[in-house]
Coordinates of all heavy atoms in Angstrom, one line a residue:
M84 N -27.7 -52.7 -63.3 CA -28.2 -53.8 -64.0 C -27.4 -54.0 -65.3 O -27.0 -55.1 -65.7 CB -29.7 -53.7 -64.3 CG -30.2 -54.9 -64.9 SD -30.2 -56.3 -63.8 CE -31.2 -57.4 -64.7
A85 N -27.2 -52.9 -66.0 CA -26.4 -52.9 -67.2 C -25.0 -53.4 -67.0 O -24.4 -54.1 -67.9 CB -26.4 -51.5 -67.9
N86 N -24.4 -53.0 -65.8 CA -23.1 -53.5 -65.5 C -23.0 -55.0 -65.4 O -22.0 -55.6 -65.9 CB -22.7 -52.8 -64.2 CG -21.2 -53.0 -63.9 OD1 -20.4 -53.4 -64.7 ND2 -20.8 -52.7 -62.7
V87 N -24.0 -55.6 -64.8 CA -24.0 -57.1 -64.7 C -24.2 -57.7 -66.0 O -23.5 -58.7 -66.3 CB -25.1 -57.5 -63.7 CG1 -25.3 -59.0 -63.7 CG2 -24.9 -57.0 -62.3
I88 N -25.0 -57.1 -66.9 CA -25.2 -57.7 -68.2 C -23.9 -57.6 -69.0 O -23.5 -58.6 -69.7 CB -26.4 -57.0 -68.9 CG1 -27.7 -57.3 -68.2 CG2 -26.4 -57.4 -70.4 CD1 -28.9 -56.5 -68.7
L89 N -23.3 -56.4 -69.0 CA -22.0 -56.3 -69.7 C -20.9 -57.2 -69.2 O -20.2 -57.9 -70.0 CB -21.5 -54.8 -69.5 CG -20.2 -54.5 -70.2 CD1 -20.3 -54.7 -71.7 CD2 -19.7 -53.1 -69.8
R90 N -20.9 -57.4 -67.9 CA -19.9 -58.4 -67.3 C -20.2 -59.8 -67.7 O -19.3 -60.6 -68.1 CB -20.0 -58.3 -65.8 CG -19.3 -57.2 -65.1 CD -19.6 -57.1 -63.6 NE -18.9 -56.0 -63.0 CZ -17.8 -56.2 -62.2 NH1 -17.4 -57.4 -61.9 NH2 -17.2 -55.2 -61.7
A91 N -21.5 -60.1 -67.8 CA -21.9 -61.5 -68.2 C -21.5 -61.7 -69.7 O -21.0 -62.8 -70.0 CB -23.4 -61.7 -68.0
V92 N -21.7 -60.8 -70.5 CA -21.3 -60.9 -71.9 C -19.8 -61.0 -72.1 O -19.3 -61.9 -72.8 CB -21.8 -59.7 -72.8 CG1 -21.3 -59.7 -74.1 CG2 -23.3 -59.7 -72.8
I93 N -19.0 -60.2 -71.3 CA -17.6 -60.3 -71.4 C -17.1 -61.6 -71.0 O -16.2 -62.3 -71.6 CB -16.9 -59.1 -70.5 CG1 -17.2 -57.8 -71.2 CG2 -15.5 -59.4 -70.3 CD1 -16.8 -56.6 -70.3
F94 N -17.6 -62.1 -69.8 CA -17.1 -63.4 -69.3 C -17.6 -64.6 -70.2 O -16.9 -65.6 -70.3 CB -17.5 -63.6 -67.8 CG -16.5 -62.9 -66.9 CD1 -16.8 -61.6 -66.5 CD2 -15.4 -63.5 -66.5 CE1 -15.9 -61.0 -65.6 CE2 -14.5 -62.9 -65.6 CZ -14.8 -61.6 -65.2
Y95 N -18.7 -64.5 -70.7 CA -19.2 -65.5 -71.6 C -18.3 -65.7 -72.8 O -17.9 -66.8 -73.2 CB -20.7 -65.3 -72.1 CG -21.1 -66.3 -73.1 CD1 -21.5 -67.5 -72.7 CD2 -21.1 -66.0 -74.5 CE1 -21.9 -68.5 -73.6 CE2 -21.6 -66.9 -75.4 CZ -21.9 -68.2 -75.0 OH -22.4 -69.1 -75.9
I96 N -18.0 -64.5 -73.5 CA -17.1 -64.6 -74.6 C -15.7 -65.1 -74.2 O -15.1 -65.9 -74.9 CB -17.0 -63.2 -75.3 CG1 -18.4 -62.8 -75.9 CG2 -15.9 -63.1 -76.3 CD1 -18.5 -61.4 -76.3
L97 N -15.2 -64.6 -73.1 CA -13.9 -65.0 -72.7 C -13.8 -66.4 -72.3 O -12.9 -67.2 -72.7 CB -13.4 -64.1 -71.5 CG -12.0 -64.4 -70.9 CD1 -11.0 -64.0 -71.9 CD2 -11.8 -63.8 -69.6
L98 N -14.8 -66.9 -71.6 CA -14.8 -68.4 -71.2 C -15.0 -69.3 -72.4 O -14.3 -70.3 -72.5 CB -15.9 -68.6 -70.2 CG -15.6 -68.2 -68.7 CD1 -16.8 -68.3 -67.9 CD2 -14.5 -68.9 -68.1
T99 N -15.8 -68.8 -73.3 CA -15.9 -69.7 -74.6 C -14.6 -69.8 -75.3 O -14.2 -70.8 -75.7 CB -17.0 -69.0 -75.5 OG1 -18.3 -69.0 -74.7 CG2 -17.3 -69.9 -76.7
L100 N -13.9 -68.6 -75.5 CA -12.6 -68.7 -76.1 C -11.6 -69.5 -75.4 O -10.8 -70.2 -76.0 CB -12.1 -67.2 -76.3 CG -12.8 -66.4 -77.3 CD1 -12.3 -64.9 -77.3 CD2 -12.7 -67.0 -78.7
M101 N -11.6 -69.3 -74.1 CA -10.6 -70.1 -73.2 C -10.9 -71.6 -73.3 O -9.9 -72.3 -73.4 CB -10.6 -69.6 -71.8 CG -10.0 -68.2 -71.7 SD -10.1 -67.4 -70.0 CE -10.2 -68.7 -68.9
M102 N -12.1 -72.0 -73.3 CA -12.4 -73.4 -73.3 C -12.0 -74.0 -74.7 O -11.6 -75.1 -74.8 CB -13.9 -73.7 -73.0 CG -14.3 -73.3 -71.6 SD -13.4 -74.2 -70.4 CE -14.4 -75.7 -70.3
K103 N -12.2 -73.2 -75.7 CA -11.9 -73.6 -77.1 C -10.4 -73.7 -77.2 O -9.8 -74.7 -77.8 CB -12.4 -72.6 -78.1 CG -12.3 -73.0 -79.5 CD -13.2 -74.1 -79.8 CE -13.2 -74.4 -81.3 NZ -13.9 -75.6 -81.6
L104 N -9.6 -72.7 -76.7 CA -8.2 -72.8 -76.7 C -7.6 -73.9 -75.9 O -6.6 -74.5 -76.2 CB -7.6 -71.5 -76.2 CG -7.8 -70.3 -77.2 CD1 -7.3 -69.0 -76.5 CD2 -7.1 -70.5 -78.5
M105 N -8.3 -74.3 -74.8 CA -7.8 -75.4 -74.0 C -8.1 -76.7 -74.6 O -7.7 -77.8 -74.1 CB -8.4 -75.3 -72.5 CG -7.8 -74.2 -71.7 SD -8.2 -74.2 -70.0 CE -10.0 -74.0 -70.1
G106 N -9.0 -76.7 -75.6 CA -9.3 -78.0 -76.3 C -10.2 -78.9 -75.5 O -10.0 -80.1 -75.5
K107 N -11.2 -78.3 -74.8 CA -12.1 -79.1 -74.0 C -12.9 -80.1 -74.9 O -13.3 -79.7 -76.0 CB -13.0 -78.3 -73.2 CG -12.2 -77.5 -72.1 CD -11.5 -78.4 -71.2 CE -10.3 -77.9 -70.6 NZ -9.2 -78.6 -70.6
R108 N -13.1 -81.2 -74.3 CA -13.9 -82.3 -75.1 C -15.3 -82.3 -74.5 O -15.7 -81.5 -73.6 CB -13.2 -83.6 -74.9 CG -11.8 -83.6 -75.5 CD -11.1 -84.8 -75.2 NE -10.5 -84.7 -73.9 CZ -9.6 -85.5 -73.3 NH1 -9.2 -86.5 -74.0 NH2 -9.2 -85.3 -72.1
Q109 N -16.0 -83.4 -74.9 CA -17.3 -83.6 -74.3 C -17.2 -83.9 -72.8 O -16.1 -84.4 -72.4 CB -18.0 -84.7 -75.0 CG -18.3 -84.4 -76.5 CD -19.0 -85.6 -77.2 OE1 -19.2 -86.6 -76.6 NE2 -19.2 -85.4 -78.5
L110 N -18.2 -83.7 -72.1 CA -18.2 -83.9 -70.6 C -17.8 -85.4 -70.3 O -17.0 -85.6 -69.3 CB -19.5 -83.6 -70.0 CG -19.6 -83.6 -68.5 CD1 -18.6 -82.5 -68.0 CD2 -21.0 -83.2 -68.1
G111 N -18.2 -86.3 -71.0 CA -17.9 -87.7 -70.7 C -16.5 -88.1 -71.0 O -16.0 -89.1 -70.5
E112 N -15.8 -87.3 -71.8 CA -14.4 -87.6 -72.2 C -13.4 -86.8 -71.3 O -12.2 -87.0 -71.5 CB -14.2 -87.3 -73.6 CG -15.0 -88.2 -74.6 CD -14.9 -87.8 -76.0 OE1 -14.2 -86.8 -76.3 OE2 -15.4 -88.4 -76.9
M113 N -13.8 -86.0 -70.4 CA -12.9 -85.1 -69.7 C -12.1 -85.9 -68.7 O -12.7 -86.8 -68.0 CB -13.7 -84.0 -68.9 CG -14.1 -82.9 -69.8 SD -14.8 -81.6 -68.7 CE -15.0 -80.3 -69.9
E114 N -10.9 -85.5 -68.5 CA -10.1 -86.0 -67.4 C -10.5 -85.3 -66.1 O -11.1 -84.2 -66.2 CB -8.6 -85.8 -67.7 CG -8.1 -86.5 -68.9 CD -8.0 -88.0 -68.8 OE1 -8.1 -88.5 -67.7 OE2 -8.0 -88.7 -69.8
I115 N -10.1 -85.7 -65.0 CA -10.5 -85.1 -63.7 C -9.9 -83.7 -63.6 O -10.6 -82.8 -63.1 CB -10.1 -86.0 -62.5 CG1 -10.7 -85.5 -61.2 CG2 -8.6 -86.1 -62.3 CD1 -12.1 -85.7 -61.1
S116 N -8.7 -83.5 -64.1 CA -8.2 -82.1 -64.0 C -8.9 -81.1 -64.9 O -9.1 -80.0 -64.5 CB -6.7 -82.1 -64.4 OG -6.5 -82.5 -65.7
E117 N -9.4 -81.6 -66.0 CA -10.2 -80.7 -66.9 C -11.6 -80.4 -66.3 O -12.0 -79.3 -66.4 CB -10.4 -81.4 -68.2 CG -9.1 -81.6 -69.0 CD -9.3 -82.5 -70.3 OE1 -10.3 -83.2 -70.3 OE2 -8.5 -82.3 -71.2
L118 N -12.2 -81.4 -65.6 CA -13.4 -81.2 -64.9 C -13.3 -80.1 -63.8 O -14.1 -79.2 -63.6 CB -14.0 -82.5 -64.4 CG -15.3 -82.4 -63.7 CD1 -16.4 -81.9 -64.6 CD2 -15.7 -83.7 -63.1
V119 N -12.2 -80.3 -63.0 CA -12.0 -79.4 -61.9 C -11.7 -78.0 -62.4 O -12.3 -77.0 -61.9 CB -10.7 -79.8 -61.1 CG1 -10.3 -78.8 -60.1 CG2 -11.1 -81.1 -60.3
T120 N -11.0 -77.9 -63.5 CA -10.7 -76.6 -64.1 C -12.0 -75.9 -64.6 O -12.2 -74.7 -64.4 CB -9.7 -76.7 -65.3 OG1 -8.5 -77.2 -64.8 CG2 -9.5 -75.4 -66.0
T121 N -12.9 -76.7 -65.2 CA -14.1 -76.2 -65.7 C -15.0 -75.6 -64.6 O -15.6 -74.6 -64.7 CB -14.9 -77.3 -66.5 OG1 -14.0 -77.7 -67.5 CG2 -16.2 -76.7 -67.1
V122 N -15.1 -76.4 -63.5 CA -15.9 -75.9 -62.4 C -15.3 -74.7 -61.7 O -16.0 -73.8 -61.4 CB -16.0 -77.1 -61.3 CG1 -16.7 -76.6 -60.1 CG2 -16.8 -78.2 -61.9
L123 N -14.0 -74.7 -61.6 CA -13.3 -73.5 -61.0 C -13.5 -72.3 -61.9 O -13.8 -71.2 -61.3 CB -11.8 -73.7 -60.9 CG -11.3 -74.3 -59.6 CD1 -9.8 -74.6 -59.8 CD2 -11.4 -73.4 -58.5
L124 N -13.4 -72.4 -63.2 CA -13.6 -71.2 -64.0 C -15.0 -70.7 -63.9 O -15.2 -69.5 -63.9 CB -13.2 -71.6 -65.5 CG -11.8 -71.9 -65.8 CD1 -11.6 -72.3 -67.3 CD2 -10.9 -70.7 -65.5
S125 N -16.0 -71.6 -63.9 CA -17.4 -71.1 -63.8 C -17.6 -70.5 -62.5 O -18.4 -69.4 -62.4 CB -18.3 -72.3 -64.0 OG -18.2 -73.3 -63.0
E126 N -17.1 -71.0 -61.4 CA -17.3 -70.3 -60.1 C -16.6 -69.0 -60.0 O -17.2 -68.0 -59.5 CB -16.7 -71.2 -59.0 CG -17.6 -72.4 -58.6 CD -18.9 -72.0 -58.0 OE1 -18.9 -71.1 -57.1 OE2 -19.9 -72.5 -58.4
L127 N -15.4 -68.9 -60.5 CA -14.7 -67.6 -60.5 C -15.5 -66.5 -61.4 O -15.6 -65.4 -61.0 CB -13.3 -67.7 -61.0 CG -12.3 -68.4 -60.1 CD1 -11.0 -68.8 -60.8 CD2 -12.1 -67.6 -58.8
A128 N -15.9 -67.0 -62.5 CA -16.7 -66.0 -63.4 C -18.0 -65.6 -62.7 O -18.3 -64.4 -62.8 CB -16.9 -66.7 -64.7
S129 N -18.7 -66.5 -62.1 CA -20.0 -66.2 -61.5 C -19.8 -65.2 -60.4 O -20.6 -64.3 -60.2 CB -20.7 -67.4 -61.0 OG -20.1 -68.0 -60.0
F130 N -18.8 -65.3 -59.6 CA -18.5 -64.3 -58.5 C -18.3 -63.0 -59.1 O -18.8 -62.0 -58.6 CB -17.4 -64.8 -57.6 CG -17.7 -65.9 -56.7 CD1 -16.8 -66.9 -56.5 CD2 -18.8 -66.0 -56.0 CE1 -17.0 -68.0 -55.7 CE2 -19.1 -67.0 -55.1 CZ -18.2 -68.0 -55.0
T131 N -17.5 -62.9 -60.1 CA -17.1 -61.6 -60.7 C -18.3 -61.0 -61.4 O -18.4 -59.8 -61.4 CB -15.9 -61.8 -61.6 OG1 -14.9 -62.4 -60.9 CG2 -15.4 -60.4 -62.1
I132 N -19.1 -61.8 -62.0 CA -20.3 -61.2 -62.7 C -21.3 -60.7 -61.8 O -21.8 -59.6 -62.0 CB -20.9 -62.3 -63.6 CG1 -20.0 -62.7 -64.8 CG2 -22.3 -61.9 -64.1 CD1 -20.5 -63.9 -65.5
T133 N -21.6 -61.4 -60.7 CA -22.7 -60.9 -59.8 C -22.2 -59.9 -58.8 O -23.1 -59.1 -58.4 CB -23.3 -62.1 -59.1 OG1 -22.2 -62.8 -58.4 CG2 -23.9 -63.1 -60.0
D134 N -21.0 -59.9 -58.4 CA -20.5 -58.9 -57.4 C -19.8 -57.7 -58.1 O -18.7 -57.8 -58.5 CB -19.5 -59.6 -56.4 CG -19.2 -58.7 -55.2 OD1 -19.6 -57.5 -55.2 OD2 -18.5 -59.2 -54.3
T135 N -20.6 -56.6 -58.2 CA -20.0 -55.5 -59.0 C -19.0 -54.7 -58.2 O -18.3 -53.9 -58.8 CB -21.2 -54.5 -59.4 OG1 -21.9 -54.1 -58.2 CG2 -22.1 -55.2 -60.3
D136 N -18.7 -55.1 -57.0 CA -17.7 -54.5 -56.2 C -16.3 -55.0 -56.6 O -15.3 -54.4 -56.3 CB -17.9 -54.7 -54.7 CG -19.1 -53.9 -54.2 OD1 -19.4 -52.9 -54.8 OD2 -19.7 -54.3 -53.2
I137 N -16.3 -56.2 -57.2 CA -15.0 -56.8 -57.7 C -14.7 -56.3 -59.0 O -15.5 -56.4 -59.9 CB -15.2 -58.4 -57.7 CG1 -15.5 -59.0 -56.4 CG2 -13.9 -59.0 -58.3 CD1 -15.8 -60.4 -56.4
P138 N -13.5 -55.7 -59.2 CA -13.1 -55.2 -60.5 C -13.0 -56.3 -61.5 O -12.7 -57.5 -61.1 CB -11.7 -54.5 -60.3 CG -11.7 -54.3 -58.8 CD -12.5 -55.3 -58.2
I139 N -13.3 -56.1 -62.8 CA -13.3 -57.1 -63.8 C -11.9 -57.7 -63.9 O -11.8 -58.9 -64.1 CB -13.8 -56.6 -65.2 CG1 -15.2 -56.3 -65.1 CG2 -13.5 -57.5 -66.3 CD1 -15.8 -55.7 -66.4
F140 N -10.9 -56.9 -63.8 CA -9.5 -57.4 -63.9 C -9.2 -58.5 -62.8 O -8.5 -59.4 -63.0 CB -8.5 -56.3 -63.8 CG -7.1 -56.8 -63.9 CD1 -6.5 -57.2 -65.1 CD2 -6.3 -56.8 -62.7 CE1 -5.2 -57.6 -65.1 CE2 -5.0 -57.3 -62.8 CZ -4.4 -57.7 -64.0
H141 N -9.8 -58.3 -61.6 CA -9.6 -59.2 -60.5 C -10.3 -60.5 -60.8 O -9.9 -61.6 -60.2 CB -10.1 -58.6 -59.2 CG -9.2 -57.5 -58.7 ND1 -9.5 -56.9 -57.5 CD2 -8.0 -57.0 -59.1 CE1 -8.5 -55.9 -57.3 NE2 -7.7 -56.0 -58.3
G142 N -11.2 -60.5 -61.7 CA -11.9 -61.8 -62.1 C -11.2 -62.4 -63.3 O -11.1 -63.6 -63.4
L143 N -10.6 -61.6 -64.2 CA -10.0 -62.1 -65.4 C -8.6 -62.7 -65.1 O -8.3 -63.7 -65.7 CB -9.8 -61.0 -66.4 CG -11.0 -60.4 -67.0 CD1 -10.7 -59.2 -67.9 CD2 -11.8 -61.4 -67.7
L144 N -7.9 -62.2 -64.1 CA -6.5 -62.7 -63.8 C -6.5 -64.1 -63.4 O -5.8 -65.0 -63.9 CB -5.8 -61.8 -62.8 CG -4.4 -62.1 -62.5 CD1 -3.5 -62.0 -63.8 CD2 -3.8 -61.2 -61.4
P145 N -7.4 -64.5 -62.4 CA -7.4 -65.9 -62.0 C -7.9 -66.8 -63.1 O -7.4 -68.0 -63.3 CB -8.4 -66.0 -60.8 CG -8.6 -64.6 -60.4 CD -8.2 -63.7 -61.5
L146 N -8.8 -66.4 -64.0 CA -9.3 -67.2 -65.1 C -8.1 -67.5 -66.0 O -7.9 -68.6 -66.5 CB -10.4 -66.5 -65.8 CG -11.7 -66.4 -65.1 CD1 -12.7 -65.6 -66.0 CD2 -12.3 -67.7 -64.8
L147 N -7.3 -66.5 -66.3 CA -6.2 -66.6 -67.3 C -5.1 -67.5 -66.6 O -4.5 -68.4 -67.3 CB -5.6 -65.3 -67.7 CG -6.6 -64.4 -68.5 CD1 -6.0 -63.0 -68.7 CD2 -6.9 -65.1 -69.8
L148 N -4.9 -67.4 -65.3 CA -3.9 -68.2 -64.7 C -4.3 -69.7 -64.6 O -3.5 -70.5 -64.9 CB -3.6 -67.6 -63.3 CG -2.8 -66.3 -63.2 CD1 -2.8 -65.9 -61.7 CD2 -1.4 -66.5 -63.7
I149 N -5.5 -69.9 -64.3 CA -6.0 -71.3 -64.2 C -6.0 -72.0 -65.6 O -5.6 -73.1 -65.7 CB -7.3 -71.4 -63.5 CG1 -7.2 -71.1 -62.0 CG2 -8.0 -72.8 -63.7 CD1 -8.5 -70.9 -61.3
S150 N -6.4 -71.2 -66.6 CA -6.4 -71.7 -67.9 C -5.0 -72.0 -68.4 O -4.7 -73.1 -69.0 CB -7.0 -70.7 -68.9 OG -8.4 -70.5 -68.6
S151 N -4.1 -71.1 -68.1 CA -2.7 -71.4 -68.5 C -2.1 -72.6 -67.8 O -1.4 -73.4 -68.4 CB -1.8 -70.1 -68.1 OG -2.3 -69.0 -68.8
F152 N -2.4 -72.7 -66.5 CA -2.0 -73.9 -65.7 C -2.5 -75.2 -66.3 O -1.8 -76.2 -66.4 CB -2.4 -73.7 -64.3 CG -1.9 -74.8 -63.4 CD1 -0.5 -74.9 -63.1 CD2 -2.7 -75.8 -62.9 CE1 0.0 -76.0 -62.3 CE2 -2.3 -76.8 -62.1 CZ -0.9 -76.9 -61.8
E153 N -3.8 -75.2 -66.7 CA -4.4 -76.4 -67.3 C -3.7 -76.8 -68.6 O -3.5 -77.9 -68.9 CB -5.9 -76.2 -67.5 CG -6.6 -77.3 -68.3 CD -6.5 -78.6 -67.6 OE1 -6.5 -78.6 -66.3 OE2 -6.5 -79.6 -68.3
V154 N -3.4 -75.7 -69.5 CA -2.7 -76.0 -70.7 C -1.4 -76.6 -70.4 O -0.9 -77.6 -71.1 CB -2.6 -74.7 -71.6 CG1 -1.7 -74.9 -72.8 CG2 -4.0 -74.3 -72.0
A155 N -0.6 -76.1 -69.5 CA 0.7 -76.6 -69.1 C 0.6 -78.0 -68.6 O 1.4 -78.9 -69.0 CB 1.3 -75.7 -68.1
V156 N -0.4 -78.3 -67.8 CA -0.5 -79.7 -67.2 C -0.9 -80.6 -68.3 O -0.3 -81.7 -68.4 CB -1.6 -79.7 -66.1 CG1 -2.0 -81.1 -65.8 CG2 -1.1 -79.0 -64.9
S157 N -1.7 -80.2 -69.3 CA -2.1 -81.1 -70.4 C -0.9 -81.4 -71.3 O -0.7 -82.5 -71.7 CB -3.2 -80.4 -71.3 OG -4.4 -80.3 -70.5
F158 N 0.0 -80.3 -71.5 CA 1.2 -80.5 -72.3 C 2.1 -81.5 -71.6 O 2.7 -82.4 -72.2 CB 1.9 -79.2 -72.5 CG 3.1 -79.2 -73.3 CD1 3.0 -79.4 -74.7 CD2 4.3 -79.2 -72.7 CE1 4.2 -79.4 -75.4 CE2 5.5 -79.2 -73.4 CZ 5.4 -79.4 -74.8
I159 N 2.3 -81.4 -70.3 CA 3.2 -82.3 -69.5 C 2.6 -83.7 -69.6 O 3.4 -84.6 -69.7 CB 3.4 -81.8 -68.1 CG1 4.2 -80.4 -68.1 CG2 4.1 -82.8 -67.2 CD1 4.2 -79.7 -66.8
C160 N 1.3 -83.8 -69.5 CA 0.7 -85.2 -69.5 C 0.9 -85.8 -70.8 O 1.1 -87.1 -70.9 CB -0.8 -85.1 -69.2 SG -1.2 -84.9 -67.5
Q161 N 0.9 -85.1 -71.9 CA 1.2 -85.6 -73.2 C 2.6 -86.1 -73.4 O 2.9 -87.1 -74.1 CB 0.9 -84.6 -74.3 CG -0.6 -84.4 -74.6 CD -0.8 -83.4 -75.7 OE1 0.0 -82.6 -76.1 NE2 -2.0 -83.5 -76.3
R162 N 3.5 -85.4 -72.7 CA 5.0 -85.7 -72.9 C 5.5 -86.7 -71.9 O 6.4 -87.4 -72.1 CB 5.8 -84.4 -72.7 CG 5.5 -83.3 -73.7 CD 6.0 -83.7 -75.0 NE 5.7 -82.5 -75.9 CZ 5.3 -82.7 -77.2 NH1 5.2 -83.8 -77.7 NH2 5.1 -81.6 -77.9
N163 N 4.8 -86.8 -70.7 CA 5.3 -87.7 -69.7 C 4.2 -88.7 -69.2 O 3.2 -88.3 -68.6 CB 5.8 -86.8 -68.5 CG 6.5 -87.6 -67.4 OD1 6.3 -88.8 -67.3 ND2 7.3 -86.9 -66.6
R164 N 4.3 -89.9 -69.6 CA 3.3 -90.9 -69.3 C 3.1 -91.2 -67.8 O 2.0 -91.3 -67.3 CB 3.8 -92.3 -70.0 CG 2.8 -93.4 -69.7 CD 1.7 -93.4 -70.7 NE 0.9 -94.6 -70.5 CZ -0.4 -94.6 -70.5 NH1 -1.1 -93.5 -70.6 NH2 -1.0 -95.8 -70.3
K165 N 4.2 -91.1 -67.0 CA 4.1 -91.4 -65.6 C 3.3 -90.2 -64.9 O 2.5 -90.5 -64.0 CB 5.5 -91.5 -65.0 CG 6.2 -92.8 -65.3 CD 7.6 -92.8 -64.6 CE 8.3 -94.1 -65.1 NZ 9.6 -94.3 -64.4
F166 N 3.6 -89.0 -65.3 CA 2.8 -87.9 -64.8 C 1.4 -88.0 -65.1 O 0.5 -87.7 -64.3 CB 3.4 -86.6 -65.3 CG 2.8 -85.3 -64.7 CD1 3.1 -85.0 -63.4 CD2 1.9 -84.6 -65.4 CE1 2.5 -83.8 -62.8 CE2 1.3 -83.5 -64.9 CZ 1.6 -83.1 -63.6
S167 N 1.1 -88.4 -66.3 CA -0.3 -88.6 -66.8 C -1.0 -89.6 -65.9 O -2.2 -89.4 -65.5 CB -0.3 -88.9 -68.3 OG -1.7 -89.2 -68.7
I168 N -0.4 -90.7 -65.7 CA -1.0 -91.8 -64.9 C -1.2 -91.3 -63.4 O -2.2 -91.6 -62.8 CB -0.1 -93.1 -64.9 CG1 -0.2 -93.7 -66.3 CG2 -0.5 -94.1 -63.9 CD1 0.7 -94.9 -66.6
L169 N -0.2 -90.6 -62.9 CA -0.3 -90.0 -61.6 C -1.5 -89.1 -61.4 O -2.2 -89.1 -60.5 CB 1.0 -89.3 -61.2 CG 1.0 -88.6 -59.8 CD1 1.0 -89.6 -58.7 CD2 2.2 -87.7 -59.7
L170 N -1.6 -88.2 -62.4 CA -2.7 -87.2 -62.4 C -4.0 -87.8 -62.7 O -5.0 -87.5 -62.1 CB -2.3 -86.0 -63.3 CG -3.2 -84.8 -63.2 CD1 -3.1 -84.2 -61.8 CD2 -2.9 -83.8 -64.3
N171 N -4.1 -88.6 -63.8 CA -5.4 -89.0 -64.3 C -5.8 -90.4 -64.0 O -6.9 -90.9 -64.2 CB -5.4 -88.8 -65.8 CG -5.2 -87.4 -66.2 OD1 -5.8 -86.5 -65.6 ND2 -4.4 -87.2 -67.2
G172 N -4.8 -91.2 -63.5 CA -5.1 -92.6 -63.2 C -4.8 -93.5 -64.4 O -4.6 -93.0 -65.5
K173 N -4.9 -94.8 -64.2 CA -4.7 -95.7 -65.3 C -6.0 -96.2 -65.8 O -6.9 -96.6 -65.1 CB -3.9 -96.9 -64.7 CG -3.4 -97.9 -65.7 CD -2.5 -98.9 -65.1 CE -2.0 -99.9 -66.1 NZ -1.2 -101.0 -65.5
P174 N -6.2 -96.2 -67.1 CA -7.4 -96.6 -67.7 C -7.6 -98.1 -67.5 O -6.6 -98.9 -67.5 CB -7.3 -96.3 -69.2 CG -5.8 -96.1 -69.5 CD -5.2 -95.7 -68.2
I175 N -8.9 -98.5 -67.4 CA -9.2 -100.0 -67.2 C -10.1 -100.4 -68.4 O -10.8 -99.6 -68.9 CB -9.8 -100.3 -65.9 CG1 -11.1 -99.5 -65.7 CG2 -8.8 -100.0 -64.7 CD1 -11.9 -99.9 -64.5
I176 N -10.0 -101.7 -68.7 CA -10.9 -102.2 -69.8 C -12.2 -102.7 -69.1 O -12.1 -103.6 -68.2 CB -10.2 -103.3 -70.5 CG1 -8.9 -102.8 -71.2 CG2 -11.1 -104.0 -71.5 CD1 -8.1 -103.8 -71.9
L177 N -13.3 -102.2 -69.5 CA -14.6 -102.6 -68.9 C -15.1 -103.8 -69.7 O -15.6 -104.8 -69.0 CB -15.6 -101.5 -69.0 CG -15.3 -100.2 -68.2 CD1 -16.4 -99.2 -68.4 CD2 -15.2 -100.6 -66.7
F178 N -15.1 -103.8 -71.0 CA -15.5 -105.0 -71.8 C -14.4 -105.4 -72.7 O -13.7 -104.5 -73.3 CB -16.7 -104.6 -72.6 CG -17.9 -104.3 -71.8 CD1 -18.3 -103.0 -71.6 CD2 -18.7 -105.3 -71.3 CE1 -19.5 -102.7 -70.8 CE2 -19.8 -105.1 -70.5 CZ -20.2 -103.8 -70.3
N179 N -14.2 -106.7 -72.8 CA -13.1 -107.1 -73.7 C -13.7 -107.9 -74.8 O -14.6 -108.7 -74.7 CB -12.1 -108.0 -72.9 CG -10.9 -108.3 -73.7 OD1 -10.7 -107.8 -74.8 ND2 -10.0 -109.0 -73.1

């Protein structure tokens, strides 16, 4: 039981830091790639927290890779308008 609690604390701290470093916004302002990344990170962390047969490193590595990929995609979207439109779609005006 203590192992699960320790894992939960480690992953909570790590996920909080990673989300802060990735610059996540409010849920309503997220792009689709950010939402997918958030769901993926939470799923990966929950499997590693609850299954004590999985080494912590095997849970941390995918979290770090997905976070790094999200930061790279966000950087490319800022630099390349066409890539941003391809990935996130084109914004529409609801009220004028």
Side-chain angles (χ1 to χ4, degrees):
M84 184 67 170
N86 191 11
V87 174
I88 293 171
L89 179 64
R90 285 171 174 252
V92 169
I93 289 170
F94 277 94
Y95 175 77
I96 293 169
L97 181 69
L98 284 171
T99 303
L100 289 174
M101 287 173 30
M102 296 299 275
K103 188 71 171 170
L104 289 174
M105 286 189 299
K107 294 298 154 229
R108 298 173 277 192
Q109 294 177 2
L110 188 60
E112 296 175 355
M113 281 187 174
E114 299 290 344
I115 189 72
S116 62
E117 295 171 339
L118 181 63
V119 169
T120 300
T121 305
V122 172
L123 268 174
L124 291 178
S125 65
E126 283 293 318
L127 288 170
S129 67
F130 286 136
T131 308
I132 290 170
T133 56
D134 190 355
T135 56
D136 293 333
I137 300 173
I139 291 180
F140 179 73
H141 290 178
L143 294 177
L144 184 62
L146 291 177
L147 293 174
L148 288 174
I149 290 173
S150 299
S151 300
F152 184 70
E153 174 60 31
V154 169
V156 167
S157 295
F158 180 76
I159 293 170
C160 282
Q161 284 182 339
R162 302 285 184 220
N163 189 337
R164 178 85 173 134
K165 289 182 182 180
F166 184 75
S167 177
I168 290 173
L169 175 70
L170 187 64
N171 300 320
K173 189 175 179 182
I175 59 172
I176 298 174
L177 294 177
F178 293 102
N179 194 359

